[in-house]
């Protein structure tokens, strides 16, 4: 049996590496196909057809890679050497000449990149194109006139500052949205390999001026006017579900969303207890609410609004709208406003807080627990293991009794 000769093992070139080994005459006249080294990893590839092209072999971040530098007919020997040297320096510094070449060949402008980002996110926006329209409008008005024609790799922090700084104080919310949208486009550019940094990221936050925080207090009634407000709502022609939800919210000192989205499985009428799950609480923790007698009466009346039942018990939303869906955020607010009541539903929590502080001896921690406020002191939080449920029950019963006692008195509502 005939044995084939062993293929010689490739060995690393010994001795000094070539440096400018080729000449312009040789490159122009060589006819034999093959690969001819010049130095710095640069080779002239000659195809059997006679076509010539430049190729450079480099180790880029630990991997051997090949870069095409163009045809010999378009790139001279001197130009190829200049490109090869620049690529080698970049690779030795930890860069990626191949990625840089790809970026240079297909670099989109900022405006083109913004359209690509909008297209990517549009599939996840379930608002009928509203978000896409807002993106295009804000970027088209503030960003694109300044940086729209710039390559996405050329946008700097100074450019972003020039976009958002003129409106940072006068149109702060808009400026924040524009900056966030520019940042999203820059993150896309990083993911595509077009750049390595985000000029709209954390660095610009320190450069932009701080805007004074304005604390806005919800309009609230003096607690002495609350009973008359309840009476006015009951006497109105509003939807019974909204009227019941309003009084229930006042009695429990709960937040609007907690009441509007309440479902029957959260209630134990026998134990006179409402348990709001953590997913619907602002503080992201379960909150137990003691129910007074009037609150239970409201729930029983609300049960007749919902035709859906499981056995003898109602199911679904406790306070549905006329269409059987959840009450809208502005539904109760609109009812209160139309009656000339100088408050918003959330403001009745403040009315309750003022009444409890001025008219009762209940401890501050019990009042704060009734409002589901988070204790800010870490030491106090560590020892506050109880939700003070029974003590809160006494507080809420006192509040309900106060509202009933004052109901018969005539109080003029401020307009």
């Amino acid at each position: 049996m005939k044995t084939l000769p062993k293929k010689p093992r490739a060995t690393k070139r010994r001795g000094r590496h070539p440096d400018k080994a080729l000449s312009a005459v040789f490159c122009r006249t060589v006819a034999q196909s093959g690969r001819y080294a010049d130095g710095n990893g640069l080779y002239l590839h000659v195809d059997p057809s006679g076509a010539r092209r430049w190729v450079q072999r480099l180790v880029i971040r630990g991997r051997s890679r090949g870069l095409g530098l163009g045809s010999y007919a378009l790139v001279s020997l001197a130009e190829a050497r200049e490109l090869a040297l620049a690529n080698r320096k970049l690779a030795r510094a930890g860069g990626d000449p191949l990625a840089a070449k790809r970026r240079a060949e297909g670099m989109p402008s900022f405006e083109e990149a913004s359209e690509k980002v909008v297209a990517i996110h549009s599939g996840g926006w379930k608002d009928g194109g509203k978000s896409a329209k807002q993106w295009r409008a804000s970027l088209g008005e503030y960003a694109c006139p300044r940086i729209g024609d710039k390559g996405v790799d050329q946008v700097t922090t100074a450019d972003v500052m020039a976009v958002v700084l003129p409106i940072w104080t006068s149109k702060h919310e808009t400026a924040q949205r524009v900056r966030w949208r520019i940042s999203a486009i820059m993150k896309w550019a990083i993911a595509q390999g077009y750049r390595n940094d985000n000029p709209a990221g954390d660095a610009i936050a320190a450069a932009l001026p701080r805007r004074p925080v304005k604390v806005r207090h919800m309009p609230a009634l003096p607690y002495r006017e609350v009973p008359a407000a309840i009476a006015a709502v009951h006497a109105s022609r509003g939807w019974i579900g909204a009227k019941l939800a309003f009084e229930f919210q006042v009695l429990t000192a709960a937040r609007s969303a907690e009441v509007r989205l309440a479902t029957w499985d959260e209630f134990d009428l026998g134990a006179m207890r409402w348990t709001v799950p953590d997913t619907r609480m602002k503080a992201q923790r379960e909150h137990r609410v003691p129910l007074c007698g009037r609150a239970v009466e409201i729930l029983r009346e609300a049960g007749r609004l919902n035709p859906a039942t499981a056995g003898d018990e109602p199911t679904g939303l406790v306070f549905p709208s006329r269409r059987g869906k959840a009450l809208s955020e502005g539904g109760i607010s609109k009812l209160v406003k139309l009656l000339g009541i100088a408050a918003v539903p959330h403001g009745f929590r403040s009315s309750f807080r003022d009444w409890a502080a001025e008219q009762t001896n209940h401890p501050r921690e019990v009042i704060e627990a009734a409002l589901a406020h988070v204790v800010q002191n870490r030491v106090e939080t560590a020892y506050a293991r109880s939700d003070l449920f029974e003590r809160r029950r006494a507080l809420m019963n006192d509040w309900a009794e106060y509202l009933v006692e004052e109901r018969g008195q005539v109080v003029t509502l401020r307009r």
Side-chain angles (χ1 to χ4, degrees):
M1 182 176 176
K2 186 177 179 181
T3 58
L4 296 174
K6 292 183 178 180
K7 186 177 181 180
R9 300 172 68 183
T11 58
K12 186 176 180 180
R13 184 185 180 112
R14 295 180 180 276
R16 191 175 178 183
H17 288 269
D19 181 34
K20 297 183 179 180
L22 303 179
S23 67
V25 174
F26 175 84
C27 294
R28 185 175 64 253
T29 59
V30 61
Q32 185 176 355
S33 63
R35 187 178 71 169
Y36 300 93
D38 180 68
N40 285 325
L42 177 64
Y43 294 88
L44 177 67
H45 278 235
V46 180
D47 295 336
S49 64
R52 298 167 173 80
R53 67 185 187 278
W54 297 107
V55 176
Q56 185 179 18
R57 299 297 302 180
L58 280 176
V59 177
I60 302 173
R61 296 175 182 173
R63 293 179 58 191
S64 179
R65 310 291 293 272
L67 286 77
L69 303 184
S71 166
Y72 174 74
L74 299 176
V75 181
S76 67
L77 174 61
E79 291 170 334
R81 283 172 175 168
E82 185 177 351
L83 288 171
L85 181 61
N87 288 340
R88 189 178 181 193
K89 287 182 177 179
L90 180 59
R92 284 177 64 87
D96 186 346
L98 192 59
K101 181 175 181 290
R102 285 198 295 262
R103 290 197 299 268
E105 290 174 349
M107 184 65 62
S109 67
F110 175 84
E111 188 169 4
E112 292 169 341
S114 68
E115 284 298 321
K116 292 180 183 293
V117 173
V118 170
I120 290 171
H121 289 290
S122 292
W125 290 331
K126 307 299 182 183
D127 54 5
K130 180 180 178 181
S131 293
K133 185 177 180 180
Q134 291 173 341
W135 271 62
R136 291 190 176 100
S138 62
L139 293 174
E141 182 175 357
Y142 300 106
C144 290
R146 290 181 177 271
I147 60 176
D149 294 335
K150 274 198 167 189
V152 75
D153 64 323
Q154 297 298 315
V155 178
T156 66
T157 300
D159 291 326
V160 182
M161 284 282 290
V163 170
V164 299
L165 191 57
I167 58 172
W168 187 251
T169 302
S170 59
K171 301 178 181 179
H172 187 66
E173 295 298 327
T174 300
Q176 285 186 315
R177 291 191 183 97
V178 170
R179 179 201 161 195
W180 182 86
R181 287 163 184 167
I182 294 174
S183 178
I185 295 167
M186 294 298 102
K187 289 177 181 178
W188 172 85
I190 293 171
Q192 296 296 316
Y194 293 136
R195 61 183 304 136
N196 299 316
D197 65 320
N198 180 4
D202 294 336
I204 198 173
L208 287 167
R210 283 196 171 188
R211 185 169 179 263
V213 178
K214 295 181 179 179
V215 179
R216 293 194 309 167
H217 295 287
M218 295 289 186
L221 285 181
Y223 56 83
R224 295 188 186 280
E225 298 181 16
V226 174
I230 296 175
V233 169
H234 273 294
S236 72
R237 295 181 180 181
W239 166 239
I240 183 62
K243 294 194 290 186
L244 292 174
F246 169 75
E247 185 179 0
F248 186 81
Q249 181 179 342
V250 175
L251 284 168
T252 57
R255 296 180 177 88
S256 177
E258 295 160 12
V259 174
R260 290 186 299 102
L261 304 179
T263 54
W264 284 107
D265 58 340
E266 298 172 2
F267 292 89
D268 185 340
L269 298 188
M272 302 178 73
R273 182 177 64 244
W274 173 28
T275 305
V276 188
D278 55 1
T279 54
R280 294 206 306 105
M281 291 298 299
K282 182 178 180 180
Q284 297 293 303
R285 66 182 186 188
E286 184 182 273
H287 180 54
R288 298 193 305 163
V289 181
L291 301 175
C292 64
R294 175 55 187 158
V296 173
E297 290 177 9
I298 292 173
L299 291 172
R300 296 196 187 281
E301 189 172 351
R304 294 191 286 271
L305 299 175
N306 194 337
T309 60
D312 295 330
E313 297 296 329
T315 59
L317 292 166
V318 176
F319 303 106
S321 67
R322 293 180 188 272
R323 298 181 179 181
K325 298 182 179 180
L327 287 168
S328 66
E329 184 175 357
I332 303 177
S333 297
K334 184 177 180 180
L335 174 62
V336 172
K337 185 177 181 180
L338 288 174
L339 294 172
I341 299 172
V344 295
H346 191 88
F348 286 89
R349 286 165 53 86
S350 297
S351 304
F352 164 77
R353 180 67 179 81
D354 293 342
W355 166 83
E358 296 179 13
Q359 298 294 318
T360 77
N361 293 320
H362 291 282
R364 182 188 67 85
E365 60 268 23
V366 175
I367 300 170
E368 294 300 306
L371 293 165
H373 284 166
V374 177
V375 178
Q376 298 296 328
N377 186 287
R378 291 185 178 182
V379 176
E380 189 176 349
T381 302
Y383 289 96
R385 304 296 176 86
S386 171
D387 64 357
L388 305 172
F389 184 78
E390 292 305 325
R391 300 186 71 176
R392 286 192 288 120
R393 183 183 292 281
L395 170 63
M396 303 316 291
N397 285 338
D398 288 348
W399 173 236
E401 289 177 9
Y402 168 77
L403 296 177
V404 171
E405 290 173 0
E406 296 291 322
R407 182 75 65 87
Q409 299 183 21
V410 178
V411 181
T412 302
L413 296 175
R414 295 178 301 168
R415 291 182 181 271

